[in-house]
Amino acid sequence: MASVTNKVVLPHALKTPAFTKLSNNKRVILASASPRRKEILRTFGINPEIVPSTFEETLSHLDYQNVYEYPVATATEKAVEVYERLVVRPAYPEAVMSSQATDTVVLSRIEPATSNLGAGLEHDIRPEILEKPTSKADNLRMLLDMNGRSCEVVTGVSVAFPILTAPGYAIKSMDERSIVYFSDNPVSLLEAYVDNGEGLDRAGGFAVQGLGGMLVSKVDGDWHNVVGFPAAAFFKFLEILVEEEDDFLAVD
């Protein structure tokens, strides 16, 4: 397959319909300062402009009965904030193709019931939404809770893109879920990891691509999703948008 190249699409990108449209003088804004997310996008052929969102991420977990809606809602707020900020700023004369924002959380896993009496009750128990630890003590608490067990990593991705009708943009969102299994680690190893500080800036308090990989036995699902960006699902999502949404990548 031939490659596509311009300032957004890197030379090694596959020539799919979405990448072909992106190469037509479009812009991709990543509403995050995460170097991990930028590097994952570059690995698959997109070189985004970085404009971190100023949204304060103050949404309440309790407002979302379905916990999977929370990271999608946060990602949507980030995408809209950046898109609206750039569209009205005179210093940005070119059309903004899309503002893409992401939010990753970790959900504590509810263990299956061990007796017929408890069968089905676990489905009524709300998992804890784990974001970045507030302290080393909080980091250790999270790791102790997941140790020898598993957690679910959920990433919400929202894309804001221009359309001709009010309010001038549309939002499309997706989420991806992966299961991370932790080894039965000695507490001394967990304490050493927490003391290192790597997990303090990570949802769930660990970085699977770093020293935190020592704590993990396996991952079910997209490994990139656990790192912070669900690459495979996102690029399939873009192809669906190109095929099904007439306005997607069509308005300059």
Side-chain angles (χ1 to χ4, degrees), residues 79-144:
V80 169
E81 186 278 320
V82 169
Y83 189 91
E84 291 183 341
R85 177 156 40 105
L86 296 191
V87 164
V88 299
R89 179 179 293 179
Y92 283 79
E94 300 177 63
V96 175
M97 185 288 292
S98 71
S99 168
Q100 179 270 308
T102 306
D103 186 60
T104 299
V105 299
V106 173
L107 303 181
S108 61
R109 295 278 285 170
I110 305 303
E111 299 299 317
T114 56
S115 69
N116 290 333
L117 180 63
L121 293 180
E122 67 271 10
H123 299 296
D124 297 324
I125 302 174
R126 181 185 177 90
E128 182 183 1
I129 298 177
L130 304 176
E131 299 192 83
K132 295 176 182 179
T134 57
S135 64
K136 288 188 175 182
D138 190 39
N139 196 169
L140 182 60
R141 176 192 67 82
M142 292 180 180
L143 295 179
L144 286 170

Side-chain angles (χ1 to χ4, degrees), residues 68-247:
Y68 297 104
E69 294 177 355
Y70 173 78
V72 172
T74 301
T76 298
E77 293 287 352
K78 292 178 181 179
V80 169
E81 186 278 320
V82 169
Y83 189 91
E84 291 183 341
R85 177 156 40 105
L86 296 191
V87 164
V88 299
R89 179 179 293 179
Y92 283 79
E94 300 177 63
V96 175
M97 185 288 292
S98 71
S99 168
Q100 179 270 308
T102 306
D103 186 60
T104 299
V105 299
V106 173
L107 303 181
S108 61
R109 295 278 285 170
I110 305 303
E111 299 299 317
T114 56
S115 69
N116 290 333
L117 180 63
L121 293 180
E122 67 271 10
H123 299 296
D124 297 324
I125 302 174
R126 181 185 177 90
E128 182 183 1
I129 298 177
L130 304 176
E131 299 192 83
K132 295 176 182 179
T134 57
S135 64
K136 288 188 175 182
D138 190 39
N139 196 169
L140 182 60
R141 176 192 67 82
M142 292 180 180
L143 295 179
L144 286 170
D145 184 57
M146 295 183 289
N147 196 38
R149 303 171 67 186
S150 63
C151 66
E152 186 170 22
V153 178
V154 184
T155 302
V157 181
S158 292
V159 178
F161 58 92
I163 59 175
L164 294 176
T165 55
Y169 62 85
I171 301 287
K172 294 295 178 181
S173 303
M174 56 157 280
D175 73 76
E176 182 69 357
R177 308 169 192 182
S178 304
I179 306 299
V180 178
Y181 294 86
F182 282 78
S183 303
D184 191 5
N185 301 290
V187 174
S188 60
L189 179 59
L190 301 181
E191 291 174 337
Y193 181 72
V194 169
D195 188 59
N196 174 269
E198 179 186 75
L200 289 173
D201 191 41
R202 308 296 200 279
F206 69 97
V208 71
Q209 76 279 16
L211 295 173
M214 296 176 63
L215 312 178
V216 171
S217 60
K218 69 173 181 176
V219 172
D220 282 350
D222 185 354
W223 184 84
H224 286 105
N225 184 49
V226 182
V227 175
F229 190 84
F234 174 72
F235 287 108
K236 291 182 178 70
F237 176 61
L238 287 186
E239 297 298 335
I240 291 171
L241 291 180
V242 167
E243 182 178 347
E244 297 182 357
E245 298 289 331
D246 292 339
D247 286 337

